[in-house]
Every structure is written in structure tokens, then in C-alpha cells.
Amino acid sequence: ISDQELLELSEQLYAADGNRAAHGDIILDLQHQVTSAEASAGKDYAPQRLFQHVAEARLFSKPTFSGLLALLDNYERMTGHSEVLTAQEEREEEQFLAAVFSTRVMATLTSFFLAKGLYPSADAFRADLKDMWFGLYSRSGGAALDSSGFEHVFHGEIKKGKVSGCHSWVQLYELEKSGQLNYLSYSYDGAWPSFPDVLALQFRWSSYLKSVGSVLLGSSPEFDLALYTLCFKARPDRLCHVSLGGEAARIQTYSWTNSFYGDGQRFVASAYPVSP
């Protein structure tokens, strides 16, 4: 997959994302910007909430958003504690994937992967996406099957006393709304006048600090999943240069190297937009 193909396909995914937030659907109060050197201090510069308004009725009623919301209460955030997948949670994963794969965004990515010969069929790609994102592995040295790529990126985890992952704006909003997230400051606000935008911020989840977290703000769950999957397959473990609405963006993915699935395939370890 060439650099030019990445730029062209990311623009196609961006154009296909009809479920993303529109102007006015999300209103933020960014308050105080910190330098990268100040970010790790964990000082609270923001007395007000980050999310002043989210058009929940319009956005969260859409199948991929409601599917994501159903998944967010399925995870044990502390590493070292095994994830137990119940029959109901398995159904929720399948419902989410069914909703995602019925969107133009994922149809666009699927067609590209099939044309490049990466998969023999759409069903093969869907099965592999589920394995790479939802397959369980251990972030606790084998003590427990306590993590997955999806949990790490879209939900977030607590590891060694700090927040790890947590790169979904929907999860940040839900945590702040429930009183679990204290927004501290931001270090980068992207150049996009519409959604999705890139935001790098500092926050505490309960008492646990995330000194720099970055999200695609206002994007749909299927867009995040498709863009991160594209970069994970095309540029694993390095910067992936994409274009969103004519603006350059960079995605960083990491693959999990301590365990595998299938024929030596690697799970997603992390994926997020990179801020300067």
C-alpha cells in the first residue's frame, strides 16, 4: 500500500463518514493550553467541564454509536484482572460489528483491502478484524487475559497507576458525564474547522492521570475503527500519514508482540492520532 494510496483512501473514508458529528453537535470549553513540558505535571487548569454540549439524541441513536456505548460497560479497567466475555457481551460485539460493516466507511475499506488482495473475501476481513481488535491477551505478564486492542483504544485501562489508552471521544464524554473524568487542560487542538478534529488533552480518570491523550473528536466509531485498521495493516508500529478533509494527519499504531492469533497474526496493541 503506497503513501499516495493511504492519502487517497483516508480521504475516501473521511468523505464516507456520514455519521460523524456536524457543526454544533459538539461544543467544547478547552480553557487552558499547556506546553508539552507542562503536560505531565497533572495540574488542573480547567475549572469547567470539557464537553459543554453533545447532541446525544442525534448522534448516539445511530447504530454504531449505540453499539459502542453498549460495549463500554463490558470491561474491567484495571490490568491484572481477567476479562470475562459473557454471552450477552459476545452478542453486543457481534451487533456492533454488524452495524459497523453496514456503513459506507467500512464498505470502502473492505473494497480496498479485497482489491489489494489482502483478504480473499469480505467475511475473511470481518473475521480478522474481530480477532485483531477483540482477541484477548495479557498486559500483566501472563497473569490474566486482561486486555484487547478494542478495550485499550476505545475504553482505556489503568496500568501501573496511570491511564493507558483511552482514545475515544465518546468514552471521554461518557466518563465526564458520569463524574469519573476530570479534564485538566489541552496541549493541541487540530486545524480542522469541522469534525473530526484532533485533540490532545490531559485528564484524570478517578485519581489516575493521563498526561497526554489524543482523540479523533467527533468522528464516528466506524471511522475510528476503519482508519486505525488501515494504518495497522499498512504501517504497523510506525507513523501512518493520512489526509482528512485536505489536512494532513498522522496515526500511530502498535502491534502486540507477546502473543499471537491464527497463523502468527498480531493483535492491535494501540492506535491513536499523533499531535505535534
Side-chain angles (χ1 to χ4, degrees), residues 23-179:
H23 181 73
D25 282 348
I26 301 172
I27 299 173
L28 301 183
D29 186 358
L30 292 174
Q31 300 165 80
H32 185 79
Q33 185 172 14
V34 297
T35 65
S36 55
E38 295 173 302
S40 60
K43 186 174 179 180
D44 191 350
Y45 291 101
Q48 306 302 320
R49 286 190 171 195
L50 171 63
F51 290 95
Q52 296 297 298
H53 168 73
V54 170
E56 285 194 39
R58 198 185 88 78
L59 293 172
F60 292 175
S61 61
K62 297 177 179 183
T64 54
F65 279 97
S66 61
L68 173 61
L69 290 167
L71 291 174
L72 290 180
D73 65 357
N74 291 356
Y75 301 107
E76 165 57 63
R77 68 179 183 174
M78 306 299 293
T79 58
H81 296 254
S82 292
E83 294 292 344
V84 178
L85 185 66
T86 67
Q88 174 62 27
E89 290 170 352
E90 174 76 23
R91 283 193 296 272
E92 289 171 355
E93 285 184 5
E94 284 298 325
Q95 288 165 357
F96 174 71
L97 288 171
V100 163
F101 272 86
S102 68
T103 63
R104 281 181 58 212
V105 170
M106 198 54 80
T108 301
L109 181 64
T110 301
S111 295
F112 177 79
F113 278 172
L114 295 186
K116 296 296 289 185
L118 269 67
Y119 295 95
S121 67
D123 286 345
F125 170 47
R126 186 189 190 280
D128 190 44
L129 182 140
K130 183 178 181 181
D131 284 338
M132 74 174 78
W133 280 101
F134 288 93
L136 292 172
Y137 51 83
S138 177
R139 288 187 191 263
S140 51
L145 287 175
D146 55 5
S147 186
S148 68
F150 191 86
E151 177 186 359
H152 181 84
V153 173
F154 287 86
H155 180 272
E157 301 171 293
I158 308 299
K159 182 179 180 183
K160 297 180 179 178
K162 294 182 179 180
V163 178
S164 180
C166 200
H167 298 291
S168 165
W169 76 266
V170 175
Q171 170 71 335
L172 295 183
Y173 171 69
E174 288 293 305
L175 290 175
E176 188 175 58
K177 186 173 71 169
S178 66

Side-chain angles (χ1 to χ4, degrees), residues 28-40 43-46 48 50 172 182-191 197-203 210-215 217 275-276:
L28 301 183
D29 186 358
L30 292 174
Q31 300 165 80
H32 185 79
Q33 185 172 14
V34 297
T35 65
S36 55
E38 295 173 302
S40 60
K43 186 174 179 180
D44 191 350
Y45 291 101
Q48 306 302 320
L50 171 63
L172 295 183
N182 178 24
Y183 169 65
L184 305 175
S185 59
Y186 76 102
S187 50
Y188 175 74
D189 180 23
D197 196 2
V198 176
L199 180 69
L201 69 161
Q202 293 69 49
F203 61 89
K210 181 75 173 181
S211 57
V212 181
S214 56
V215 298
L217 180 72
S275 58

Side-chain angles (χ1 to χ4, degrees), residues 202-221:
Q202 293 69 49
F203 61 89
R204 289 188 185 275
W205 183 356
S206 302
S207 60
Y208 304 102
L209 177 65
K210 181 75 173 181
S211 57
V212 181
S214 56
V215 298
L216 291 167
L217 180 72
S219 52
S220 69

